[in-house]
Structures are given as structure tokens and as C-alpha cells.
Amino acid sequence: MECKTVEILKKYHQEHILNYLDLLTEEEKKKLEEQILKIDFEQLKDLFQTTQKETCIEEKKIEHIPYKDKAKISDEKKLELEQIGNDIISSGHYAVITMAGGQGTRLGHVAPKGTYLLNTINGEKYLFEIIVDTLKQAQKKYKINIPWYIMTSRENNKQTVEFFEEHEYFNYDKSKVKFFVQGELPLIDTNGKLILNKEKQIKEAADGNGGIYEAIAKSGLLQEMKKDGIEWIFISNVDNILSNFIDPLLLGLTVQENRKIAAKSVAKTNPKEKVGVFCKMNGKPKIIEYIDLPQEMAEEVDENGELIYGEVNIANYLFHRTVLENLADIKLPYHAAFKKSGYLAENGEYIESDKPNVYKFETFIFDAFGRYEDMTILRVKREDEFAPVKNREGTDSPETAVSLYNAKMQKNIINSK
Ligand code: UTP
């Protein structure tokens, strides 16, 4: 290894990497060296320091955020708003992005999360396939194929694309499906040390769904959207199997409220529910994580007995294309997540960890909302639009999500009769 590289490793207390060199071929050493030279060690040092400090939020800066409750909008108003949305969608100005760059560590599925198979009332379905089902329904309704962009990570891009090829894009128009890859950051252990992966390279992971702004701009797809006349883009997670991401009501409401960003929420079930909620911080839209919301604020209710901070973020976001253009260079704060990760031991053995052992640094898509004065928030019914697959079992697991999905499918059948 070149002196320069060794010096960098020593300067940043990462010289343990040198202990692995005997395990590596010349080719692997070369790749590792190239990787080391690309790492921003100063940034990594700062990030590790953030894991050692408590963050605190001053209560006085947090306020309630206004929202509209879908259940309280009159039928007449709904029709008017939906008409606005339907016109935009049917004239080809609407696209969808699915964020699928995550590692899905809690679910513990060895392949990309979207390739997870569920046993539903409509038969066995992959998470990605459920998204295609919604796109196909829209195809029938609007007589167009809505463009679909999928954000992957370097770790899962190849497998994701291969999966779609193998399944022939579940008979959706392949030319309308595009993939783009997000950025990565090294993982570090509790002592701030880099770890190696099975390929004997430094283990890196996607840098959080906030990486979307830079990734979509760099991919050239934003420019392509502009050329194709796309104005509105709905962005959601790969793992909510009830996501209603082609929603003319939300679109119409956002246009009518003259906003450029919107999101859907569901009502928080109780003050202790471990979810992020919308609020205003320093007058700007913000999502505050349950851990950062002081208990008395979490319990505060309005004159109708409703939680003041009760709008749960379900990761259903609507953006005007120009917002994505404006945010292309945004620098978002990093949040450290403590996760499980396999690593290469110095004797060459690959060890799977059965408990969290590394810090992963992530930016969040919603941390950019504060750049805007206001956003539209539409409260929808949880049982209609929110069934996340996060954990292997218990809450938000395949079992709970499928049961919500099945109930919704049955309700749809009854309503269509
Ligand atoms: P989560 O934060 O739930 O993470 O992602 P995850 O990767 O699915 O699961 P865990 O936490 O490792 O168990 C919410 C959404 O954001 C995407 C995920 O794919 C999911 O759709 N995401 C997350 C990205 O696209 N990139 C990331 O770097 C992180």
C-alpha cells in the first residue's frame, strides 16, 4: 500500500485496516486503496463525534402544523379537487418515485426489500409487484403509463434491475421504468473504526433517503422529467403495501393551496406511539421524531381532544419538479442509526452480528421541508393507506401489513358492488 494511504489511515486511527492486507490479493489491495482515497475521513470523524453527543431540541420552537382531514372534506369539494388532480395526471404531468435504496435490516431479507414475497388475499405478491398493481390501475383509469423511477443503492442496484428483468417488469411498460443509484458512506463500529465486507473492501451503505435529491439530479433523470413535461412527482417508500401514490385529491389540494410540497399523514393512535409527526419548527415544516418530542408536548391536546402533534409521517410526499431541482445541492444533517452488520474479522472469517454493532449515517428526505415556508398536509385513514413492512415480526411486520392489505381489498370489493 502506498505511503500516502498508510498515512491517511494512521492519521484517522484506522490503521487496523493494514492488518487485513495479508488476506487480500493484489487486485483487492488496489481496489481497497482506491476506496480509501475516496473517503472523506474528516466528515467521518465529525459524524462519529455526533454519535457520542446527545442532541436536544428547544421546546419553544415547536408548533402545531395545520392539515386537512380527508374525512372532513365535503363530497362536492373532493370532486372539485380530484378534477384538478385527474387533469394533471391524465395529461402526463405526473410521475412516481419509489425509494428502494435501504438495507431492510429489520426485516432481515437477504435481497432488496422490494423483492420480498408476501402471501396476500390476491395471491403471492412481491413488494415491487404491489406497486405495479397500483400503476396498472392508473393505466386503466388514465389511459397512460405513468413514469416510475426507482431509487436503488450501489449495494442492491444490480439485484433490483435483474429482478425486474426476470419478472418482465410485471407486464408494466418497461420503457417507463428507470433506476437511479444513491450515494454511500462507510459504516463504522462503536469505536469509530471502519469495517470490511465479504469482498474484503470497506463496508459502505446507502446514505439515507435524503440522498435522493443529489442522486436524482446527478442521474440526469430530473432533466429528462422536465423535457417530458413532468411537473409533479410523488415519492414514497418501497415497503408500504397500501400506499395510494396516485392520488388526485392530494394533487388537487396542493395545487389549490398553491404549495410546492405536500405529504399525507395519519392520526397518531396514542401519545406514546413511536412515530415521527409533522410540526412547525421555527415557523417551518418539520418532522419531529418521537424520541425528540418532549412527553408533555406529545400528550398535548386541542379543544376537541385531538393530539396537537398527532399527524404521523407515513412517507408519502408530493413534490413539484422545481423543488427537486432547487434541492439538488442541499446539504442535509446526518442522523446516526445503530444497526446490525456482518463484518470481516482479522483472521478472514466473516461474522454476522446478532445485535446492532455499527453506526450507519443517513440523511432524511423530510429534513429538506424546512427550506419551504409551508406545505400541504392531508390526513388520510390509516387502514386505507398505511401498511408498512418493517420488522420480521410483531408490529409493522409482513403479518400485520398483509392483514391490513387483505381488509382493504375486501372493502374495495364490497364498495364496488
Ligand atoms: P427505512 O428507514 O425504513 O429503512 O427506509 P430500511 O432500509 O427499509 O429498513 P431498516 O431500517 O434497515 O430495517 C424507509 C424507505 O427509505 C428507503 C427504504 O428503501 C425505504 O423505502 N431508503 C432508506 C432508501 O431509499 N435509501 C436509504 O439509504 C435508506
Side-chain angles (χ1 to χ4, degrees):
M1 203 167 255
E2 303 249 338
C3 283
K4 185 179 159 203
T5 321
V6 174
E7 266 170 40
I8 295 178
L9 290 177
K10 288 196 169 146
K11 177 171 175 200
Y12 292 99
H13 309 294
Q14 302 291 348
E15 57 271 47
H16 65 289
I17 297 295
L18 301 171
N19 301 342
Y20 288 88
L21 293 183
D22 287 347
L23 300 173
L24 273 67
T25 62
E26 285 312 308
E27 176 88 2
E28 285 166 347
K29 278 186 203 159
K30 204 168 143 237
K31 269 173 75 187
L32 179 69
E33 188 148 18
E34 281 167 10
Q35 205 188 5
I36 292 170
L37 293 173
K38 280 199 207 128
I39 293 175
D40 182 343
F41 281 95
E42 276 301 318
Q43 180 194 37
L44 211 56
K45 193 173 94 188
D46 291 346
L47 290 175
F48 179 61
Q49 276 163 5
T50 63
T51 66
Q52 311 296 299
K53 291 195 285 243
E54 296 266 305
T55 46
C56 71
I57 287 172
E58 288 174 47
E59 292 174 34
K60 62 180 188 305
K61 296 180 183 161
I62 308 171
E63 293 165 291
H64 165 81
I65 193 163
Y67 65 90
K68 291 270 173 354
D69 187 346
K70 180 172 175 179
K72 294 185 182 150
I73 303 178
S74 70
D75 287 347
E76 197 189 341
K77 186 73 189 172
K78 263 193 208 141
L79 279 178
E80 179 198 329
L81 294 172
E82 280 170 356
Q83 188 57 50
I84 300 174
N86 284 333
D87 288 347
I88 293 173
I89 300 169
S90 57
S91 46
H93 298 311
Y94 191 81
V96 170
I97 299 181
T98 299
M99 298 187 290
Q103 290 184 302
T105 46
R106 285 169 288 171
L107 185 61
H109 175 52
V110 283
K113 204 180 203 180
T115 68
Y116 189 81
L117 191 61
L118 295 170
N119 196 357
T120 77
I121 198 172
N122 292 335
E124 288 197 321
K125 283 194 181 280
Y126 298 99
L127 290 179
F128 278 133
E129 188 180 0
I130 290 176
I131 299 175
V132 177
D133 287 347
T134 305
L135 288 163
K136 284 189 187 157
Q137 279 159 16
Q139 186 183 45
K140 275 203 196 120
K141 176 172 172 188
Y142 296 104
K143 313 276 176 281
I144 55 160
N145 288 308
I146 292 178
W148 183 25
Y149 303 91
I150 301 171
M151 180 164 83
T152 60
S153 63
R154 265 180 253 165
E155 201 180 350
N156 72 17
N157 183 65
K158 188 165 169 281
Q159 260 184 301
T160 306
V161 176
E162 280 171 5
F163 175 82
F164 273 91
E165 288 291 333
E166 195 184 310
H167 293 275
E168 295 176 342
Y169 291 75
F170 298 100
N171 293 326
Y172 195 62
D173 180 353
K174 181 179 165 176
S175 71
K176 293 286 173 187
V177 185
K178 307 256 163 76
F179 302 88
F180 64 102
V181 184
Q182 68 171 111
E184 282 192 327
L185 274 177
L187 298 173
I188 49 175
D189 70 12
T190 48
N191 297 312
K193 305 286 183 202
L194 296 167
I195 58 169
L196 295 197
N197 59 20
K198 276 190 188 139
E199 290 72 40
K200 303 180 187 120
Q201 304 298 306
I202 287 166
K203 192 155 190 179
E204 299 190 282
D207 56 3
N209 58 23
I212 191 169
Y213 300 111
E214 187 184 331
I216 187 101
K218 272 196 184 158
S219 69
L221 291 175
L222 256 188
Q223 289 90 314
E224 193 180 296
M225 284 184 195
K226 185 171 181 181
K227 191 173 85 324
D228 294 345
I230 301 296
E231 306 231 322
W232 291 97
I233 301 130
F234 195 97
I235 305 183
S236 52
N237 289 350
V238 69
D239 52 20
N240 174 8
I241 59 172
L242 280 184
S243 178
N244 170 20
F245 55 83
I246 301 172
D247 186 349
L249 180 72
L250 178 74
L251 186 50
L253 182 66
T254 312
V255 171
Q256 201 163 72
E257 290 189 343
N258 206 10
R259 303 262 169 71
K260 295 270 189 270
I261 306 187
K264 293 198 241 187
S265 65
V266 298
K268 194 169 168 177
T269 47
N270 68 74
K272 290 207 166 65
E273 202 191 356
K274 290 182 174 171
V275 285
V277 292
F278 288 93
C279 69
K280 280 207 161 182
M281 191 176 283
N282 297 334
K284 304 278 179 64
K286 166 101 187 155
I287 285 157
I288 181 160
E289 290 299 337
Y290 68 92
I291 212 127
D292 297 321
L293 187 67
Q295 195 190 334
E296 57 283 17
M297 294 180 84
E299 287 172 359
E300 224 176 307
V301 287
D302 64 15
E303 60 281 4
N304 303 316
E306 287 220 44
L307 293 173
I308 296 205
Y309 303 98
E311 294 317 299
V312 176
N313 174 30
I314 56 165
N316 268 207
Y317 312 120
L318 178 69
F319 289 82
H320 193 267
R321 193 200 64 247
T322 52
V323 170
L324 296 184
E325 289 165 359
N326 293 337
L327 295 176
D329 299 322
I330 191 169
K331 294 272 169 272
L332 294 170
Y334 281 95
H335 303 258
F338 198 39
K339 299 206 171 196
K340 276 193 258 184
S341 171
Y343 61 94
L344 195 72
E346 287 185 13
N347 64 4
E349 195 187 337
Y350 192 77
I351 299 179
E352 293 293 352
S353 181
D354 54 2
K355 53 180 190 304
N357 58 329
V358 296
Y359 290 108
K360 179 181 185 229
F361 298 100
E362 299 185 315
T363 55
F364 296 153
I365 181 170
F366 53 72
D367 275 334
F369 293 167
R371 291 293 175 101
Y372 288 78
E373 287 302 318
D374 253 316
M375 64 189 288
T376 291
I377 297 186
L378 179 66
R379 180 197 274 195
V380 296
K381 284 207 181 108
R382 192 181 279 248
E383 64 271 28
D384 284 342
E385 306 204 16
F386 192 47
V389 178
K390 295 282 181 198
N391 304 308
R392 183 156 271 262
E393 37 198 36
T395 48
D396 299 342
S397 62
E399 197 187 334
T400 58
V402 167
S403 131
L404 286 159
Y405 174 92
N406 289 349
K408 176 78 196 306
M409 294 304 131
Q410 275 166 331
K411 192 168 138 191
N412 287 353
I413 295 170
I414 295 164
N415 287 346
S416 67
K417 276 184 189 157

